[in-house]
Amino acid sequence: MPHAFDRSLPLVCACAILAACGGGGGAQEDSSPTPTTSFTQQATWAVTLPASGSSVCYDFNARAEVAGCAGNAWDLKLTVGSRGSASLWTNSGTSGTGAGGAFGGPFDHTWTELQSYTDATTLPATVFRADGASGVFSGSNGIQSAAFEYGVGGSNDHLLYPNFRVFLITTNAASADAVGTETSPVFALQITGYYGGAGGTTSGYPSFRWVDRRDPSMVHEATVDARTGWVYFDLVQRQLSSETGPWHIAFNRYNVKLNGGSSGSGNVAGFIGRTPAGFYDANGAPIAAKFQSQTVAADTLPDLQASDLSTPSSASAWVRDTLASALNPAVRGSYPNSLDYGWYVYHPTAASAQAAGLPAVAHLLQAQPERGTLLRGGEGNTFARMRLRSIVYADPNNASSAQTWTFEFDVQPAR
């Protein structure tokens, strides 16, 4: 089993670091002076939502919008979708050319908590997640992975463990013959490890094994060095590839994407075929003994080769990668009740709006200023805590009237 810390995974333990630098936790009696903050500047961005299909970007250092969302200077992008819904993005990964990122989303931190942080540079750089792909390998655990769990052994365990979940990967999600008949290659794949290198203990070396379901007796295995960026792999030729070459799956440390949807020009998509027994309890919590078993790889091999895996009911059921950012969390709630988007609440009915103290008008949005996030700027050396302070309608009794969103930033400039 691995015995190396993964320095790319401080999201789970960052609370301890933050507590040391003034963040997290409750109030404590302390006779020492209040620490000087590095967040020495303020910025306010009042932006009228643009037309559907458009984006507008803001540089919190220059306190100005950036035309065309070009370059590395902008820090926050607001995009309005084809149906009028708004989303937020950082200048990073799939959203921009910059070195930005977000330390969690609006459900992860309160504005009050963020105001207690005194210096963002005390945080490990990797807590600021770049925008990327969300797909079949994305999960709801602390590291947002469907293939790995972090620290299953308790507070002193800082390792990543694979759960040996079986992922089906089709090379032709656009074709119905990818389901059931499998005349196009459909692979079953398990991620089997995360540590490698000369000593076998260095993080960022994901291992995986796979079979072509037309001949599941032939098991292929590979390990890739994904420590410093995306590494692309061709499952058909069983070899490394490139972003512009033929590839099916790619790794960047513990992040995984497929060549389809928002991640590539291919027709690759995935589906969860099986979660092997014994890894999670009835409440979905990891069972450490199973993850840490010395025979776990052999025990789960039959799952990879099984003929009765769950399969998509139609070609449209395959999961394609979509764009994702920590700033756009999963919606909470259900219609006809209010829907919580993190930064704001959507009131679908006049009754829900009125109950929230708004005019009795359906389809109103209400800002949630008590929530926030910590951003890394596009240049990579500036930071800001941010919240959506208000949403104001040109006509409060007309949900279709122009909306002005006002964001508030406390900025830590470059040193």
Side-chain angles (χ1 to χ4, degrees):
M1 296 299 291
H3 298 285
F5 286 79
D6 180 10
R7 301 302 182 187
S8 75
L9 289 169
L11 279 170
V12 181
C13 57
C15 56
I17 301 170
L18 290 170
C21 64
Q28 300 181 13
E29 291 295 329
D30 189 353
S31 58
S32 61
T34 302
T36 301
T37 182
S38 296
F39 294 89
T40 57
Q41 300 177 4
Q42 285 72 44
T44 300
W45 184 29
V47 55
T48 299
L49 289 195
S52 296
S54 301
S55 297
V56 60
C57 292
Y58 185 73
D59 180 348
F60 55 61
N61 296 289
R63 301 177 183 83
E65 294 184 5
V66 177
C69 295
N72 297 339
W74 67 266
D75 308 305
L76 179 67
K77 179 190 293 183
L78 188 154
T79 298
V80 178
S82 58
R83 296 184 179 181
S85 59
S87 55
L88 301 177
W89 309 89
T90 67
N91 192 348
S92 66
T94 54
S95 299
T97 60
F103 177 39
F107 289 129
D108 300 312
H109 304 290
T110 67
W111 182 245
T112 299
E113 176 190 358
L114 291 171
Q115 285 182 305
S116 69
Y117 299 174
T118 60
D119 187 350
T121 64
T122 61
L123 292 167
T126 47
V127 304
F128 294 94
R129 295 183 65 90
D131 294 358
S134 176
V136 70
F137 287 92
S138 303
S140 58
N141 59 14
I143 58 172
Q144 301 176 353
S145 174
F148 292 104
E149 294 291 346
Y150 176 75
V152 300
S155 59
N156 293 321
D157 184 355
H158 303 292
L159 299 177
L160 260 185
Y161 296 84
N163 59 17
F164 291 85
R165 184 166 278 148
V166 181
F167 297 91
L168 298 182
I169 299 174
T170 176
T171 60
N172 190 10
S175 173
D177 69 6
V179 183
T181 60
E182 298 178 4
T183 57
S184 297
V186 173
F187 301 102
L189 180 145
Q190 289 174 317
I191 294 179
T192 57
Y194 185 65
Y195 298 88
T201 58
T202 302
S203 65
Y205 284 87
S207 299
F208 52 102
R209 63 188 179 190
W210 73 102
V211 299
D212 186 325
R213 296 203 71 210
R214 296 171 296 185
D215 182 14
S217 64
M218 184 66 69
V219 180
H220 310 286
E221 298 181 278
T223 299
V224 297
D225 181 354
R227 291 174 296 167
T228 59
W230 286 106
V231 176
Y232 301 86
F233 199 87
D234 183 334
L235 294 173
V236 173
Q237 298 300 321
R238 302 190 294 279
Q239 64 186 16
L240 289 170
S241 186
S242 66
E243 185 176 10
T244 58
W247 66 277
H248 303 96
I249 190 169
F251 301 86
N252 185 347
R253 301 199 69 88
Y254 63 93
N255 302 293
V256 187
K257 66 181 180 180
L258 298 176
N259 189 1
S262 64
S263 295
S265 59
N267 284 315
V268 183
F271 191 83
I272 294 179
R274 175 175 297 173
T275 300
F279 282 82
Y280 298 93
D281 64 20
N283 296 318
I287 298 175
K290 183 67 173 180
F291 281 87
Q292 297 174 328
S293 169
Q294 296 296 315
T295 63
V296 63
D299 295 342
T300 56
L301 181 59
D303 294 290
L304 179 71
Q305 299 174 299
S307 60
D308 61 344
L309 298 174
S310 298
T311 57
S313 58
S314 66
S316 63
W318 287 100
V319 179
R320 295 165 174 82
D321 285 4
T322 58
L323 296 177
S325 172
L327 301 183
N328 300 314
V331 181
R332 298 180 180 180
S334 59
Y335 183 87
N337 298 315
S338 298
L339 302 178
D340 193 340
Y341 285 78
W343 299 110
Y344 61 89
V345 171
Y346 166 65
H347 298 288
T349 66
S352 64
Q354 187 174 36
L358 300 176
V361 178
H363 308 301
L364 289 179
L365 304 183
Q366 183 179 29
Q368 299 295 289
E370 72 278 7
R371 297 172 180 166
T373 192
L374 191 61
L375 294 178
R376 183 170 61 198
E379 298 93 342
N381 60 357
T382 63
F383 303 87
R385 48 181 172 244
M386 179 198 87
R387 66 171 174 170
L388 176 60
R389 192 173 67 192
S390 64
I391 297 175
V392 177
Y393 288 84
D395 180 353
N397 294 304
N398 181 1
S400 298
S401 65
Q403 301 173 33
T404 297
W405 290 32
T406 299
F407 294 91
E408 185 173 280
F409 305 87
D410 289 341
V411 180
Q412 179 174 332
R415 293 176 175 173

